[in-house]
C-alpha cells in the first residue's frame, strides 16, 4: 500500500526557469495539500485541492505559482520564473476526506528545490 | 508574526530519561493541536493530537499536555529512545489548515 509519492525528490533550476513538482496521493485519497518549508522555518500551507478543484489557495503566492489536481494523474505544483527565494522543501499531503482533523493527512517525502 | 512558537531549536537527552518538548501559541481560536515527527529526507509523520476540550492525551510513551490559560502545550516522551531522535513539529489551528512551529531537533544519546 504505497504512501504519498513525490517526484522528483531533488530539483535544481536556474533563475527564470520553470519548476514542476508532482504528487501522487495515497490510493483512494482525493484531497491533496501542498506545504512549503523554507530553511529554518516550519511548514507553511500553500494550497488545498480536490480532484479538478482548488478548494483553498490562501497560502499560495499570487504570482508565478499555480497548482492543479486533474481527474487523472498526479497533482502538480508549478512555479514559473523561479527565483532564489523559492529554494525550499515542498511537501505534499493527502487525505481520504477533507473535513477531518489533520491526523488524517499523510505526508510525502518532499521535493527539495534548489534555485541557482 | 509567529502564531506557533517552539523556542528551543534543539534538545539533547540521555536514553531512558524523559524528553520534554514545548510549544506556545498566540491565537486563542486554535482548538486542535498536533505533534509531528520528522526524520531527515522524509515527510512529517503524525504523532499525537489533543483538542482544546482536553488537557492531556496519552499514547504509549508519548503524552501531550495542554494548558489553555497559558496557551502552552508540551510533548513528553518517556522513556526516550535513540530512535526518537528527529525533528518534532508542533501544529495548531481551528480548521484543516494547521499552523506549524519551526520545530525542535531532539537527540537521544545511547
Amino acid at each position: 500500500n504505497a504512501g504519498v509519492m513525490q517526484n522528483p525528490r531533488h530539483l535544481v533550476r536556474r533563475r527564470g526557469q520553470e519548476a514542476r513538482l508532482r504528487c501522487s496521493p495515497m490510493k483512494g485519497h482525493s484531497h491533496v495539500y501542498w506545504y512549503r518549508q523554507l530553511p529554518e522555518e516550519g511548514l507553511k500551507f500553500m494550497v488545498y485541492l480536490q480532484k479538478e478543484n482548488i478548494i483553498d489557495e490562501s497560502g499560495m503566492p499570487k504570482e508565478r505559482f499555480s497548482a492543479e489536481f486533474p481527474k487523472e494523474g498526479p497533482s502538480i505544483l508549478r512555479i514559473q520564473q523561479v527565483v532564489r527565494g523559492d529554494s525550499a522543501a515542498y511537501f505534499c499531503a493527502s487525505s481520504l476526506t477533507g473535513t477531518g482533523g489533520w491526523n488524517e493527512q499523510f505526508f510525502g517525502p518532499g521535493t527539495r528545490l534548489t534555485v541557482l | 508574526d509567529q502564531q506557533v512558537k517552539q523556542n528551543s531549536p534543539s534538545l539533547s537527552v540521555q536514553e531512558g530519561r524523559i524528553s520534554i518538548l514545548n510549544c506556545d501559541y498566540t491565537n486563542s481560536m486554535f482548538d486542535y493541536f498536533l505533534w509531528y515527527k520528522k526524520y531527515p529526507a522524509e515527510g512529517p509523520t503524525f504523532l499525537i493530537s489533543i483538542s482544546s476540550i482536553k488537557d492531556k492525551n496519552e499514547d504509549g510513551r508519548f503524552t501531550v499536555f495542554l494548558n489553555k490559560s497559558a496557551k502552552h502545550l508540551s510533548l513528553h516522551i518517556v522513556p526516550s529512545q535513540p530512535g526518537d531522535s528527529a525533528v518534532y513539529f508542533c501544529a495548531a489551528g481551528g480548521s484543516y489548515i494547521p499552523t506549524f512551529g519551526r520545530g525542535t531537533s531532539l537527540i537521544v544519546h545511547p
Side-chain angles (χ1 to χ4, degrees):
Chain A
N1 203 10
V4 178
M5 299 175 67
Q6 290 187 249
N7 68 82
R9 294 293 307 275
H10 300 274
L11 182 61
V12 178
R13 285 289 178 266
R14 296 191 180 280
R15 280 179 297 170
Q17 291 184 319
E18 178 179 286
R20 282 187 179 234
L21 289 65
R22 294 174 192 78
C23 169
S24 296
M26 283 183 70
K27 187 176 180 180
H29 286 192
S30 60
H31 300 259
V32 166
Y33 313 79
W34 285 94
Y35 295 83
R36 176 167 66 174
Q37 185 183 18
L38 295 168
E40 310 300 324
E41 298 281 334
L43 282 77
K44 294 207 185 313
F45 167 80
M46 298 181 75
V47 62
Y48 162 36
L49 310 103
Q50 284 182 259
K51 286 282 187 182
E52 300 184 277
N53 287 304
I54 296 175
I55 306 302
D56 186 332
E57 57 181 349
S58 59
M60 192 91 102
K62 294 288 182 268
E63 297 177 352
R64 302 188 298 107
F65 285 72
S66 63
E68 63 176 9
F69 188 16
K71 188 177 179 182
E72 301 290 337
S75 175
I76 307 283
L77 179 67
R78 182 183 178 203
I79 312 172
Q80 296 178 290
Q81 299 173 336
V82 296
V83 300
R84 288 215 174 108
D86 296 332
S87 295
Y90 292 82
F91 291 96
C92 167
S94 74
S95 68
L96 187 60
T97 67
T99 55
W102 312 307
N103 56 327
E104 294 183 352
Q105 290 187 22
F106 296 84
F107 282 83
T111 293
R112 182 161 297 280
L113 172 66
T114 301
V115 179
L116 302 177
Chain B
D1 182 34
Q2 279 185 274
Q3 294 193 66
V4 178
K5 296 182 183 180
Q6 294 178 257
N7 291 320
S8 297
S10 63
L11 176 67
S12 183
V13 171
Q14 199 72 29
E15 181 179 6
R17 301 286 187 121
I18 184 172
S19 294
I20 300 176
L21 296 94
N22 293 303
C23 179
D24 297 293
Y25 62 95
T26 57
N27 190 337
S28 57
M29 298 300 291
F30 288 155
D31 61 3
Y32 203 85
F33 307 88
L34 307 97
W35 285 94
Y36 280 86
K37 177 180 179 179
K38 184 182 179 303
Y39 292 117
E42 293 185 12
T45 302
F46 167 75
L47 193 58
I48 192 168
S49 65
I50 189 168
S51 72
S52 60
I53 61 173
K54 293 187 173 183
D55 55 19
K56 177 182 174 181
N57 188 26
E58 192 172 351
D59 184 2
R61 296 185 297 115
F62 302 91
T63 303
V64 56
F65 294 93
L66 175 62
N67 182 335
K68 288 185 290 294
S69 60
K71 294 192 180 68
H72 177 85
L73 65 155
S74 61
L75 174 68
H76 293 211
I77 306 173
V78 182
S80 302
Q81 300 173 354
D84 296 329
S85 298
V87 176
Y88 289 78
F89 290 100
C90 168
S95 70
Y96 54 79
I97 305 175
T99 300
F100 283 82
R102 292 185 176 184
T104 295
S105 177
L106 173 65
I107 299 172
V108 180
H109 297 282

